[in-house]
């Protein structure tokens, strides 16, 4: 092993997290460091190893946050700081398509750092595809050309290669004569600011002013927008429609196909960024539904679970040799199953220690989790509640035991494997049972910077408990106005109260107290909440 970590130059795709490659996901899930750009979506950052060092080198359109030369050096530096480690360099689209990945790779080669390139789906092709525009089409375009609409030329090139003052102003040295003659589709990246100039030069060089053209803004994301024009109306259309970066410009006959092929529907929650504050495992249900309705969901759980290390916790004492004293092990959550088996293995035991024991589960999900560990459940209540499980176990016939030839019928000895917040339902119904706390649930104490930024630009927050509200307010910086955790307080001194969607009146009251504009579901179910969110935005638009 060299004294360096390995650097992966990974393309994150154009925005839709579903367009990240399997290889890319595999690497970022285990990376020690993730160095990422502005265009990488929060949903993709959410896949990263939560323990990874997250480094934002994002470039804002107006000012470069971290210079390219510094990024190159940073990668070598991290490779040195994490020998044998994984350094993920995560970029929008494909790392080698106007992504400066080549420059970073050259620096790594020079420093003797091993690297791998994980190609990504480039915006140049996928963004038109999401707008229903194929970049090539039989009979219309037999080639396509991907061109930068913005260069950063050094002084010497500027002086020697640019002929006109205009060209120097826009800092661009494209061969417009050749481009104008190209029969294929022209795709410009980073070209919005210079498009007026580009269009004029193409027309001067003979390109048909009526050439159809489309600007596709924030393609593949919930904010995608397509604006069409022609070469001669390009500049004025950008101003009139306020087309902003990131956007690509596509020119040619294929643009017309977009009229019939635009397949991406505008959904009820398109363009909305919603923060879901439930625990990760519970959140996925509501997150998937809100995503399917078009929203961009930022999962920001307010609680996290941690295995209890018995000696340190002082809450319970999971001494595995004393498992011999129990007949039935009862699990009430998948967390409990995971923590129990993790600790069982860590203690040097394995599942053979459970031989002959009966296993009970509160419901189907926990039952399925046990099956992953090779354990079939003996008891699962019909109604999948703690009460159901308690009643089921309480009604069990005593298990016969033979001691010295005589059969006795002691009450089954039950061990409950639960989290620290589990209520006492089971203990009340099964007074003879023992409880081991195998995991703890704690309020999240910190949000990584990238997540705080994503949350701060959200349209609304979804709360399902008062504790989630309280912790959220603690974690998010307060607005200048003081009490309101006003995430959208960006328009000067007039803060806009953040909208919160709440389940239950108690949650609503807590959110109200902290200055949220609250919208509460009619019933205390996720179905009802999702419906309320959709209704709220459909009334607003
Ligand atoms: N390596 C990237 C391109 C980086 S240059 C890739 O392969 O896609 C940045 C430019 O890419 C932006 O200015 C914009 O023109 C384009 N771009 C990237 N993501 C985009 C998106 N989601 N929608 C529209 N254009 C996008």
């Amino acid at each position: 092993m060299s004294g360096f970590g390995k650097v992966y130059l990974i393309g994150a795709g154009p925005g839709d997290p579903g367009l990240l490659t399997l290889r890319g996901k595999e690497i970022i899930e285990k990376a020690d460091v993730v160095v990422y750009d502005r265009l990488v979506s929060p949903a993709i950052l959410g896949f990263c190893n939560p323990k990874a060092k997250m480094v934002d080198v994002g470039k804002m359109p107006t000012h470069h946050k971290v210079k390219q030369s510094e990024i190159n050096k940073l990668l070598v530096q991290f490779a040195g700081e994490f020998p044998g480690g994984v350094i993920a360099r995560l970029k929008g689209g494909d790392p080698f398509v106007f992504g400066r990945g080549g420059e970073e790779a050259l620096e790594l080669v020079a420093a003797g750092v091993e690297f791998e390139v994980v190609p990504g789906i480039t915006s140049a092709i996928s963004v038109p595809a999401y707008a229903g525009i194929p970049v090539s089409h039989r009979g219309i375009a037999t080639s396509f050309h991907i061109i930068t609409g913005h260069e950063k030329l050094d002084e010497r090139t500027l002086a020697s290669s640019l002929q006109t003052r205009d060209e120097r102003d826009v800092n661009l040295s494209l061969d417009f004569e050749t481009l104008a003659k190209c029969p294929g589709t022209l795709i410009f990246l980073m070209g919005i600011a210079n498009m007026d100039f580009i269009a004029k030069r193409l027309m001067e060089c003979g390109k048909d002013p009526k050439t159809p053209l489309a600007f596709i803004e924030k393609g593949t994301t919930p904010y995608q927008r397509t604006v069409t024009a022609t070469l001669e109306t390009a500049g004025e259309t950008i101003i009139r429609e306020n087309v902003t970066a990131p956007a690509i410009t596509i020119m040619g006959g294929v643009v017309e196909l977009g009229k019939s092929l635009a397949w991406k529907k505008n959904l009820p929650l398109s363009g909305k960024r919603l923060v879901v504050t439930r625990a990760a495992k519970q959140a996925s249900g509501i997150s998937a539904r809100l995503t399917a309705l078009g929203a961009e969901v930022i999962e920001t759980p307010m609680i996290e679970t941690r295995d209890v290390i018995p000696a340190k916790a002082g809450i319970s004492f999971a001494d595995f040799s004393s498992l011999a004293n129990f007949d039935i092990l009862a699990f009430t959550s998948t967390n409990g199953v995971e923590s129990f088996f993790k600790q069982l293995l860590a203690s040097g035991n394995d599942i053979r220690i459970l031989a002959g024991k009966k296993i009970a589960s509160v419901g189907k999900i926990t039952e399925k989790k046990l099956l992953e560990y090779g354990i079939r459940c003996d008891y699962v209540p019909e109604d999948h509640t703690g009460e159901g499980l308690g009643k089921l176990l309480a009604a069990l016939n005593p298990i016969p035991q033979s001691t010295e030839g005589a059969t006795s019928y002691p009450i089954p000895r039950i061990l409950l494997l639960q989290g620290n917040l589990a209520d006492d339902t089971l203990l009340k119904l099964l007074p003879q049972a023992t409880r081991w706390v195998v995991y703890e649930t704690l309020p999240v104490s910190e949000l990584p910077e990238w997540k705080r930024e994503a949350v701060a630009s959200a349209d609304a927050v979804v709360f399902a408990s008062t504790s989630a509200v309280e912790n959220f307010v603690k974690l998010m910086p307060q607005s200048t106005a003081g009490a309101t955790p006003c995430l959208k307080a960006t328009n000067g001194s007039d803060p806009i109260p953040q909208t919160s969607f709440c389940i239950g009146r108690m949650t609503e009251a807590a959110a109200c107290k902290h200055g949220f504009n609250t919208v509460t579901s009619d019933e205390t179910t996720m179905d009802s909440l999702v419906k309320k969110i959709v209704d709220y935005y459909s009334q607003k638009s």
Side-chain angles (χ1 to χ4, degrees):
M1 192 171 70
S2 77
F4 283 123
K6 183 166 171 181
V7 177
Y8 295 79
L9 303 174
I10 305 172
D16 181 344
L19 298 182
L20 173 69
T21 64
L22 291 177
R23 179 73 177 145
K25 185 161 181 266
E26 182 190 339
I27 304 292
I28 62 175
E29 277 170 354
K30 65 178 182 195
D32 300 293
V33 187
V34 179
V35 180
Y36 64 95
D37 279 349
R38 182 177 59 97
L39 286 180
V40 176
S41 80
I44 287 181
L45 296 179
F47 292 139
C48 294
N49 173 359
K51 298 207 178 84
K53 182 183 174 82
M54 301 294 286
V55 184
D56 177 4
V57 291
K59 301 183 189 85
M60 303 307 281
T62 43
H63 68 284
H64 283 228
K65 256 199 190 166
V66 182
K67 284 207 191 100
Q68 187 61 47
S69 56
E70 289 167 22
I71 297 176
N72 300 350
K73 287 202 190 84
L74 263 183
L75 295 179
V76 175
Q77 181 195 321
F78 287 134
E81 282 173 22
F82 291 84
V86 171
I87 294 94
R89 170 69 178 112
L90 198 53
K91 294 160 162 294
D94 179 273
F96 279 5
V97 177
F98 300 125
R100 306 188 76 168
E103 293 166 49
E104 293 171 9
L106 282 171
E107 187 95 7
L108 295 170
V109 171
V113 175
E114 200 188 343
F115 72 96
E116 177 178 322
V117 181
V118 182
I121 294 188
T122 180
S123 62
I125 297 169
S126 58
V127 167
Y130 266 51
I133 303 174
V135 292
S136 73
H137 192 82
R138 202 159 58 92
I140 301 180
T142 51
S143 69
F144 58 87
H145 310 266
I146 303 171
I147 307 144
T148 175
H150 175 92
E151 287 176 286
K152 203 132 181 74
L153 300 174
D154 58 40
E155 290 298 323
R156 262 220 334 263
T157 324
L158 261 179
S160 66
S161 74
L162 301 186
Q163 303 302 309
T164 66
R165 215 189 125 251
D166 272 358
E167 282 180 341
R168 274 183 226 128
D169 279 352
V170 295
N171 208 339
L172 204 58
S173 70
L174 299 178
D175 178 353
F176 288 104
E177 296 277 349
T178 309
L179 285 176
K181 287 193 198 87
C182 270
T185 306
L186 301 186
I187 299 156
F188 288 87
L189 302 193
M190 301 178 281
I192 297 301
N194 292 337
M195 195 44 65
D196 190 37
F197 172 79
I198 292 171
K200 280 192 185 121
R201 289 290 292 123
L202 287 171
M203 287 187 288
E204 278 167 21
C205 296
K207 197 161 177 72
D208 182 358
K210 300 283 180 229
T211 307
L213 167 159
F215 306 110
I216 309 154
E217 206 179 71
K218 301 186 178 67
T220 82
T221 74
Y223 311 91
Q224 174 172 318
R225 180 171 72 127
T226 305
V227 174
T228 53
T230 58
L231 200 52
E232 63 185 344
T233 62
E236 64 188 64
T237 307
I238 288 177
I239 295 171
R240 190 185 64 239
E241 297 289 333
N242 188 26
V243 178
T244 47
I248 70 152
T249 307
I250 179 163
M251 295 177 192
V254 289
V255 168
E256 301 285 350
L257 290 168
K259 286 184 193 148
S260 354
L261 301 183
W263 54 269
K264 196 171 189 275
K265 300 272 176 301
N266 230 359
L267 294 163
L269 301 180
S270 289
K272 300 286 175 259
R273 177 175 277 191
L274 303 179
V275 176
V276 170
T277 56
R278 302 200 87 194
K281 278 177 193 155
Q282 297 168 310
S284 41
I286 180 157
S287 299
R289 292 179 58 181
L290 295 174
T291 306
L293 287 162
E296 180 182 20
V297 174
I298 315 287
E299 279 192 3
T300 311
M302 288 295 120
I303 54 170
E304 60 193 350
T305 57
R306 209 170 58 180
D307 299 334
V308 169
I309 313 291
K312 280 194 197 153
I315 299 173
S316 79
F317 184 66
D319 172 4
F320 290 95
S321 63
S322 61
L323 278 180
N325 302 331
F326 299 99
D327 307 305
I328 299 176
L329 306 191
F331 293 90
T332 54
S333 66
T334 54
N335 276 331
V337 175
E338 282 169 355
S339 298
F340 175 78
F341 284 103
K342 218 186 284 172
Q343 293 175 63
L344 182 81
L345 290 175
S347 71
N349 289 291
D350 61 39
I351 55 169
R352 285 172 298 181
I353 201 173
L354 306 181
K357 300 207 183 302
K358 300 281 185 194
I359 306 289
S361 150
V362 71
K364 292 248 178 275
I365 301 175
T366 307
E367 183 183 12
K368 210 166 136 206
K369 180 57 75 183
L370 281 159
L371 210 50
E372 285 174 23
Y373 291 86
I375 310 278
R376 257 184 226 290
C377 283
D378 301 282
Y379 310 113
V380 185
E382 295 265 300
D383 69 350
H384 303 167
T385 62
E387 197 178 337
L389 180 63
K391 284 184 179 154
L392 178 72
L393 295 183
L396 282 181
N397 288 326
I399 297 169
Q401 249 185 23
S402 42
T403 355
E404 293 166 11
T407 302
S408 62
Y409 294 89
I411 323 169
R413 295 160 303 172
I414 299 171
L415 176 61
L416 307 174
L417 298 151
Q418 297 189 293
N420 62 325
L421 298 187
D423 64 23
D424 285 342
T425 313
L426 273 172
L427 270 182
K428 280 194 185 128
L429 288 163
L430 303 165
Q432 81 280 20
T434 301
R435 171 147 84 185
W436 281 2
V437 171
V438 286
Y439 71 94
E440 286 178 295
T441 303
L442 305 163
V444 167
S445 58
E446 203 181 5
L447 291 182
E449 193 188 325
W450 68 264
K451 193 159 260 189
R452 266 214 316 273
E453 279 173 16
V455 169
S457 63
D459 293 283
V461 194
V462 178
F463 291 123
S465 68
T466 52
S467 58
V469 177
E470 297 299 339
N471 205 37
F472 181 85
V473 173
K474 235 186 261 165
L475 290 173
M476 285 305 292
Q478 303 287 297
S479 75
T480 42
T484 310
C486 173
L487 311 179
K488 296 215 125 184
T490 44
N491 61 343
S493 58
D494 190 15
I496 310 158
Q498 179 65 37
T499 299
S500 71
F501 295 105
C502 301
I503 277 201
R505 295 289 153 203
M506 305 260 283
T507 309
E508 177 188 6
C512 233
K513 186 181 85 191
H514 287 291
F516 281 95
N517 166 24
T518 55
V519 179
T520 306
S521 63
D522 300 329
E523 291 162 36
T524 54
T525 64
M526 279 297 153
D527 281 350
S528 173
L529 187 67
V530 170
K531 185 172 175 304
K532 200 80 189 179
I533 297 174
V534 171
D535 289 351
Y536 176 79
Y537 286 117
S538 64
Q539 275 159 22
K540 276 196 106 186
S541 60

